[in-house]
Amino acid sequence: MADPALREVPKTVGDITPPWLTQVFRSQLGEGVLVTDVCAEQIAEDTGFASRIYRLHLVGSAGVPATVVAKLPAKPEVRAAISVLGGYERELLFYQRFANSVPISTPRVYAADIACSSDDFVLILEDLESWESGDHLVGLTIDRARLCLEELAALHAWSRQPANAGVPMLFPSIDGPVARDLFVPMFASGWQVYRERSETVVSGAVTRYAEGFAAHAPTALTVMAEQPVLLHGDIRADNMFFDGARLKVIDLQFMAHGAGAVDVAYLISQSLPTEVRRDAGDEALVREYLDRFRTSGGDDYAFDDAWRQYRAATAYWIVIPTILLTGWDTMAPRSQALCLALVDRAVAAIDDTAAYEVVA
C-alpha cells in the first residue's frame, strides 16, 4: 500500500499524472491497479470560489473509476483569503481522519494530501456527475431540506457522544476572529448595496437590526457558540447532491464547532424559499431536527435552547450573502440575483421569528 505521506502534492492539475494517480488508487484499491491516461476539464468555474475543480477522465485497469473530481487551491487572490480562514486545512482534516467514520454522507475520498511547508493540497473525490446538484437560487424543496436535517442531526449527535467529544474542538469555533473581525465590519457596505438594488420592503424592526448589526452580532455569535457540536458550517443548497432519497454534501472548508441549531438556521433561513419555510414553520422544523438528533444518539438538547440558538444564528447568517454584495460591480448577473434572493430570505426569516429580539 502506498503511503500518502510519500506522494508529492501536485501544484497544478498538470501534475496529476497517470503515475501519480496509480499511486493513489493502489493505496485505495490494491497493488494491481494501473492508470494509463488522464484528461482534465475544469468544472464549476462560476461556483468553485474557494478551489479550482476539475473532472479527470481516466483510462486504466479494472477498478479505476472512469471519472473522478480533483480539487486544488484557488487562484492566488482567492487562495490567500481561504488560507486566512484555514479552509483548506479544515477540509483536509475531515477527509483524512473522519470521512469514513462520521455519519454524514460525502463523496468517497481517494486522496486528501496537503503539503507540510505550504497550503498546496489536492483532493481526489468520487465524481457525482450523475447526481442532481442543488440550486441555491431556486432553493430546496421541503423534502430535500428534511433529508439534510437528518444528515445534520446524525453528524451533530455523533459529535456529542463521549467517544467523539474531542473531535469538534479540532475545528475552530463558529465564534472566531473571522466571524467577528472580518465579516461584521463588512456588513454595513453590503447592506447599503442591498437597499439600493433590492425592491423588497424591509420592516422597521429588521431595518433597525441591520443598521445596528455591528453592535448585535457579537451577542449572536456568543449564543451560537454555546455548545461544542461539530458543524458543517456551510450547509447550503449548492453544496448538496441528490439521487432520489439519497443526499451527499460537499465543501467542508468551513467546518467548525458550535451549537447544532447554527447549521439548522443556515439551512432553513437561506436554502428554503420563504414560502416553503413559512408553510413548514421554523419551530416545527427545529423540533423535527431535535427528534432526529435524539434518535441518532444525541444527548439532551432542550427545545428552548435550540430555538434561542436558532434565532440568534438566523439573525447572524444574513451576514454571508450581504457581505458578498460588496463586490456587486464585478459579480455575474446570476451571482447578483442569488445574493439578493438570499438576503431577501434572511430578512423574511429574521422578521418571521423576531430573531432580532434574541440579540438586542
Side-chain angles (χ1 to χ4, degrees):
M1 301 286 277
D3 183 352
L6 301 179
R7 292 194 296 254
E8 185 173 351
V9 178
K11 293 181 180 295
T12 70
V13 70
D15 296 328
I16 304 178
T17 62
W20 188 89
L21 286 164
T22 295
Q23 280 190 299
V24 166
F25 289 116
R26 283 182 177 175
S27 71
Q28 292 276 325
L29 306 175
E31 290 297 329
V33 172
L34 178 67
V35 178
T36 57
D37 193 28
V38 57
C39 179
E41 61 168 320
Q42 190 165 8
I43 58 175
E45 294 185 58
D46 290 334
T47 58
F49 170 83
S51 305
R52 287 170 294 157
I53 303 175
Y54 301 87
R55 175 167 290 116
L56 306 182
H57 299 265
L58 309 181
V59 178
S61 60
V64 172
T67 60
V68 291
V69 168
K71 196 169 182 180
L72 295 164
K75 52 191 177 181
E77 59 273 22
V78 176
R79 179 173 180 167
I82 299 301
S83 294
V84 168
L85 299 174
Y88 298 143
E89 291 84 357
R90 298 191 213 188
E91 187 163 45
L92 269 291
L93 176 61
F94 173 82
Y95 278 117
Q96 288 173 341
R97 295 185 54 182
F98 304 114
N100 293 327
S101 56
V102 170
I104 186 169
S105 300
T106 56
R108 178 175 180 177
V109 56
Y110 294 102
D113 300 351
I114 190 165
C116 296
S117 58
S118 71
D119 60 359
D120 288 333
F121 79 92
V122 62
L123 282 168
I124 304 295
L125 300 168
E126 171 190 5
D127 187 1
L128 300 177
E129 184 182 19
S130 63
W131 293 53
E132 183 183 351
S133 60
D135 186 324
H136 209 20
L137 183 56
V138 173
L140 296 174
T141 65
I142 192 60
D143 288 340
R144 287 185 166 180
R146 285 179 168 132
L147 276 178
C148 190
L149 283 177
E150 187 171 353
E151 291 280 321
L152 291 176
L155 169 69
H156 298 164
W158 177 89
S159 73
R160 292 292 289 169
Q161 293 166 7
N164 308 316
V167 176
M169 305 310 291
L170 298 175
F171 296 86
S173 172
I174 197 70
D175 179 12
V178 170
R180 286 187 179 240
D181 303 332
L182 179 61
F183 291 169
V184 172
M186 295 173 63
F187 181 85
S189 296
W191 182 253
Q192 182 177 351
V193 175
Y194 173 72
R195 296 309 301 268
E196 291 170 353
R197 300 290 181 174
S198 174
E199 297 180 359
T200 298
V201 177
V202 181
S203 72
V206 175
T207 297
R208 288 188 293 273
Y209 166 71
E211 290 175 349
F213 183 82
H216 301 311
T219 302
L221 286 164
T222 298
V223 174
M224 291 162 65
E226 286 179 344
Q227 290 177 315
V229 169
L230 183 60
L231 304 175
H232 180 283
D234 194 20
I235 193 72
R236 49 194 168 92
D238 53 8
N239 283 339
M240 304 178 199
F241 285 79
F242 298 91
D243 180 19
R246 294 193 297 161
L247 164 67
K248 291 193 177 186
V249 299
I250 62 169
D251 283 357
L252 291 305
Q253 292 171 332
F254 295 101
M255 292 200 84
H257 69 264
V262 170
D263 269 344
V264 179
Y266 192 40
L267 170 72
I268 292 172
S269 69
Q270 295 192 26
S271 286
L272 283 183
T274 297
E275 291 310 313
V276 173
R277 177 184 56 76
R278 285 173 172 164
D279 286 347
D282 293 79
E283 288 193 39
L285 289 170
V286 172
R287 291 184 186 279
E288 285 185 34
Y289 159 77
L290 290 174
D291 287 343
R292 289 177 167 85
F293 178 81
R294 285 187 285 268
T295 58
S296 297
D299 53 10
D300 185 38
Y301 191 1
F303 172 77
D304 287 348
D305 289 335
W307 180 238
R308 178 172 50 83
Q309 293 158 355
Y310 175 90
R311 293 167 74 204
T314 296
Y316 179 79
W317 281 132
I318 191 175
V319 73
I320 300 299
T322 303
I323 65 176
L324 292 176
L325 287 171
T326 59
W328 179 271
D329 291 338
T330 61
M331 296 167 70
R334 188 183 187 281
S335 296
Q336 293 174 338
L338 174 60
C339 287
L340 290 177
L342 296 182
V343 180
D344 282 346
R345 292 173 191 170
V347 163
I350 291 168
D351 213 14
D352 291 346
T353 61
Y356 44 78
E357 294 179 354
V358 177
V359 299

